[in-house]
Amino acid sequence: MYDLIVIGAGPAGSSAAITAAKSGAKALQLEKSRFPRHKVCGEFVSAESLELLSTLLAPEYAKLLGEAIRIPQSRIFLDGRMLQAEISPSAASIARFDMDIALWRSSQEAGVETREQTTVQKISYDSIFRIATTAGTFEAATVIDASGRWSNLTAKTGLMAQTKWLGVKGHFAEPSPSQSVDLYFFDGGYCGVQPVELAGEHTNGRVNACAMVRADVASNLEDIFALNSALQERSRHWQPLMDPVSTSPLIFRDPSPLRGNILCAGDAAAFVDPFIGDGISLALQSGALASRSLMASFAKIISLPQACENYLAEYQKKMARVYQASSKIRRALRVPRTIRKPFVFLLEKNPAITRYLVRKTR
């Protein structure tokens, strides 16, 4: 019998599991895959989450933060123009290949019981939770679902009515890349590019190219690069350093941080448009918030339903505004180019407005 079972071992799941274990809770973390692994992700870690990440990582992984490439600038390539905005304090670039396994092992160091390659098949609740998995059935007083934006635990209603979006990512060799996160927009999506390194590897230059694109526009990185002239020119001499990875569908919906008495964190609660670059930060913060909301429940001070209500209130206060800002900016960028042109011109001539929009997504 566990105090908490966390489903998923991405940033949200590990943040939840480590936070719970450090409070003295008996926690179990279940992950359907195995580590290390590449994930479709921009690998941009905003300054808002670096301090939290440092408290989650075991001491032996501190160098992951210390050696991370710093990103002090953002550049947006849109309609033949380049918009620039300072990122202050600087963000960091950390490969998910390294971050996820470091967090997974930090969970183990914190006292969390962990199981890889264990798929959750069914969750039932009758005063306690029973989690049926490919490795047997486990029981817990509480559950946090951090299984991602799309799993067998997530409702699939409305899928056919939505435009299908894909996520595609690859690492490429580029000598001396710009120390910036660069967003290349085109009709039907965008592609983000930033420098990144893998732990223990010091190449002449590696960049992560991660795109979100409509399925009817393109499905591979080579075709995506051709959709923006500046990106096509930049990528002309890139050499691939990994096999591309992809994911679909990408579904935008209103945040749903609760499912019955189950707390949802990270993409399981809501999928934020990747262009704002705060997905990892939101995942880490929501995972920690979910666990903190359950502390009084572990101690039998409040009921589980009350803990769930507390989490909902805090989630809406601290994170829902980011999704709202992201949605508004996304809609503005997808208007026809002729309507968008004056807005882009205004941003180009007034960098302070661009900085303001960046702050609204933090």
Side-chain angles (χ1 to χ4, degrees):
M1 182 69 181
Y2 297 91
D3 295 313
L4 170 67
I5 291 179
V6 178
I7 304 169
S14 291
S15 179
I18 295 168
T19 300
K22 286 187 173 182
S23 76
K26 183 180 180 182
L28 170 67
Q29 189 174 10
L30 305 174
E31 168 56 39
K32 66 179 180 180
S33 302
R34 63 180 302 175
F35 297 102
R37 64 187 181 186
H38 284 288
K39 294 284 287 184
V40 177
C41 178
E43 301 177 330
F44 176 95
V45 186
S46 65
E48 289 79 5
S49 62
L50 290 175
E51 183 176 354
L52 172 57
L53 184 57
S54 70
T55 68
L56 298 172
L57 291 172
E60 57 263 41
Y61 298 105
K63 65 179 182 180
L64 190 65
L65 291 179
E67 297 177 357
I69 296 171
R70 274 359 194 215
I71 308 291
Q73 185 182 42
S74 173
R75 303 189 300 182
I76 298 173
F77 297 82
L78 175 66
D79 298 343
R81 299 179 182 275
M82 183 180 74
L83 312 176
Q84 299 184 68
E86 178 187 8
I87 300 175
S88 181
S90 296
S93 180
I94 304 176
R96 287 288 299 273
F97 189 85
D98 296 324
M99 181 192 296
D100 286 3
I101 192 169
L103 284 168
W104 177 252
R105 291 174 177 167
S106 295
S107 284
Q108 296 166 340
E109 289 287 328
V112 179
E113 184 179 333
T114 60
R115 291 176 180 256
E116 286 180 290
Q117 296 181 287
T118 302
T119 301
V120 173
Q121 299 168 318
K122 183 181 179 181
I123 302 175
S124 58
Y125 179 72
D126 181 10
S127 73
I128 62 170
F129 287 96
R130 291 181 176 83
I131 315 294
T133 78
T134 51
T137 299
F138 304 94
E139 296 181 346
T142 62
V143 172
I144 293 176
D145 178 7
S147 60
R149 54 174 182 76
W150 198 249
S151 74
N152 61 318
L153 305 177
T154 308
K156 299 174 175 58
T157 55
L159 171 62
M160 300 306 294
Q162 297 198 33
T163 302
K164 188 175 182 182
W165 291 82
L166 313 174
V168 191
K169 165 191 158 178
H171 283 180
F172 298 86
E174 180 186 77
S176 303
S178 172
Q179 301 295 101
S180 60
V181 55
D182 301 332
L183 297 175
Y184 296 86
F185 285 87
F186 47 81
D187 290 337
Y190 55 86
C191 181
V193 179
Q194 72 178 43
V196 70
E197 289 289 351
L198 296 184
E201 291 187 12
H202 299 284
T203 62
N204 187 35
R206 174 190 290 258
V207 293
N208 172 27
C210 189
M212 192 179 90
V213 61
R214 278 205 333 257
D216 62 326
V217 171
S219 60
N220 63 73
L221 287 172
E222 184 177 349
D223 289 344
I224 290 169
F225 296 162
L227 295 172
N228 181 292
S229 58
L231 179 57
Q232 184 177 39
E233 179 61 30
R234 179 177 179 178
S235 65
R236 193 176 302 279
H237 301 294
W238 282 356
Q239 296 298 318
L241 297 175
M242 58 171 276
D243 292 331
V245 291
S246 62
T247 184
S248 68
L250 305 181
I251 303 296
F252 298 105
R253 55 183 173 82
D254 293 333
S256 302
L258 291 179
R259 190 170 67 250
N261 285 326
I262 298 173
L263 281 64
C264 300
D267 285 354
F271 174 61
V272 67
D273 198 311
F275 80 83
I276 74 165
D278 223 32
I280 292 176
S281 177
L282 290 168
L284 292 169
Q285 292 178 43
S286 63
L289 178 61
S291 275
R292 289 196 300 268
S293 298
L294 291 171
M295 299 299 183
S297 175
F298 297 154
K300 309 299 183 185
I301 298 172
I302 62 174
S303 66
L304 175 57
Q306 182 59 59
C308 290
E309 288 301 314
N310 292 346
Y311 175 59
L312 177 61
E314 287 297 303
Y315 187 99
Q316 291 175 336
K317 181 171 68 174
K318 295 180 177 179
M319 276 166 278
R321 60 177 181 79
V322 177
Y323 294 95
Q324 294 166 358
S326 166
S327 178
K328 290 177 182 177
I329 296 173
R330 181 175 69 248
R331 288 196 297 268
L333 290 172
R334 289 180 183 168
V335 300
R337 182 176 299 186
T338 53
I339 300 174
R340 189 174 62 215
K341 187 176 180 180
F343 175 67
V344 175
F345 179 78
L346 178 66
L347 293 177
E348 183 182 33
K349 297 300 181 182
N350 296 272
I353 300 177
T354 304
R355 290 195 296 271
Y356 170 78
L357 292 176
V358 170
R359 287 197 303 271
K360 292 294 287 183
T361 62
R362 296 293 182 269

